[in-house]
Amino acid sequence: MDRAVMQKGTLYLVSTPIGNLKDITYRAVEILASVDLIAAEDTRHAAILLKHYNISTSTTSYFDFNKERKTPGLIEKLLNGGSIAVISDAGTPGISDPAFYIVREAIRHDIAIEAIPGATAFVPALIISGLPTDRFIFEGFLPPKKGRQSRLKALSDETRTIILYESPKKLMTTLYDLRQHLGNRRISLARELTKKFEQIYRGTLEEITDSPNVIKLKGEFVIIIEGNKEK
Ligand code: SAM
């Protein structure tokens, strides 16, 4: 069967670029153009992508704070044979964004789901880091307060390469916390991947926290940390 053909009553999880608008698959563009509705984490951001590919499909907002209110209506639409694509602000829906919620509800209602693979920030950040890629653990964002200390403590024993997402505002705090709990480790910071100001900082936690001025605290970051070598 040609999987590019859009199926009625299906929920599509469509990966979109993490910066460079060309990082999208032909199939993703076809699906976005043919579904009945696109549920987008940020409709203004989605509009830029859709305009670039001349896609005129209607959009509705679907983000963390409205997901519980919006999901029943979207499920109803799918049960009535409508097709919906979920896209996140960037990258793969469900990776550190609200798509997980609708996926669980769709499964509960026996609705067909298809994932359209594509960009996600942690894979390019990992493969460019120079740290071991054979075994790794994706931790997403560290909890800001509750549970943060225990998560950091658990990570200090982790032998696989560790991947974290972080905002530019909290980046230095997180790097200091990592140094305190994990000791000195090799790390790599991937900033603004696929975008004009892409930069990769490679070094150790001590080097980077002792000379924070080398890092421009703007844009989006993925932190890659070497696993515990003493274990
Ligand atoms: N769903 C996305 C994915 O598949 O990677 C992740 C969404 S999460 C809300 C946003 C975080 O992803 C950012 O804070 C940053 O850590 C990371 N990120 C997204 N785009 C990035 C980019 N172009 N360069 C570096 N990190 C990025």
Side-chain angles (χ1 to χ4, degrees):
M1 190 176 76
D2 182 358
R3 301 296 281 186
V5 177
M6 195 271 303
Q7 309 283 319
K8 281 282 167 201
T10 298
L11 176 67
Y12 292 93
L13 306 169
V14 180
S15 302
T16 57
I18 57 165
N20 189 320
L21 287 181
K22 291 182 180 166
D23 291 335
I24 188 163
T25 68
Y26 291 115
R27 187 169 166 232
V29 172
E30 278 180 11
I31 295 286
L32 290 175
S34 53
V35 287
D36 298 313
L37 183 67
I38 298 171
E41 197 178 359
D42 180 339
T43 49
R44 275 178 306 178
H45 195 245
I48 299 168
L49 177 75
L50 300 179
K51 184 163 180 258
H52 186 82
Y53 288 99
N54 283 321
I55 296 169
S56 54
T57 309
S58 312
T59 59
T60 187
S61 69
Y62 187 76
F63 53 89
D64 219 19
F65 297 107
N66 75 4
K67 64 178 193 272
E68 281 160 46
R69 181 169 58 79
K70 292 288 274 282
T71 299
L74 296 175
I75 293 289
E76 177 90 17
K77 202 170 173 54
L78 288 159
L79 289 171
N80 288 329
S83 53
I84 297 176
V86 172
I87 62 173
S88 61
D89 205 8
T92 299
I95 301 297
S96 293
D97 66 43
F100 172 66
Y101 189 83
I102 194 167
V103 169
R104 233 177 14 181
E105 284 304 294
I107 292 169
R108 208 162 65 80
H109 288 87
D110 221 8
I111 290 166
I113 310 173
E114 278 189 38
I116 315 299
T120 190
F122 75 86
V123 175
L126 173 67
I127 62 171
I128 212 168
S129 70
L131 294 169
T133 56
D134 52 343
R135 295 176 71 233
F136 57 86
I137 172 169
F138 175 70
E139 283 281 317
F141 292 92
L142 284 176
K145 287 194 182 103
K146 195 166 172 275
R148 186 175 173 93
Q149 298 296 316
S150 55
R151 185 79 67 87
L152 282 160
K153 197 167 175 295
L155 285 181
S156 68
D157 287 336
E158 178 56 60
T159 56
R160 295 167 289 184
T161 301
I162 302 160
I163 305 171
L164 295 176
Y165 281 171
E166 193 48 282
S167 71
K169 255 181 151 169
K170 297 188 195 139
L171 182 78
M172 287 320 297
T173 307
T174 293
L175 293 176
Y176 288 121
D177 284 351
L178 287 167
R179 175 176 173 171
Q180 192 193 339
H181 286 81
L182 278 60
N184 196 20
R185 299 265 182 103
R186 285 193 296 158
I187 70 156
S188 169
L189 302 176
R191 171 175 173 255
E192 293 285 84
L193 286 163
T194 79
K195 301 187 204 176
K196 190 172 172 192
F197 296 108
E198 173 171 327
Q199 270 177 320
I200 310 296
Y201 302 94
R202 297 185 189 86
T204 64
L205 275 169
E206 281 182 6
E207 283 163 3
I208 284 183
T209 48
D210 284 345
S211 316
N213 291 341
V214 298
I215 304 166
K216 194 155 194 199
L217 293 174
K218 251 185 160 182
E220 301 193 274
F221 286 89
V222 182
I223 310 174
I224 312 284
I225 312 134
E226 176 181 42
N228 189 333
K229 288 271 163 300
E230 286 156 23
K231 288 271 156 186

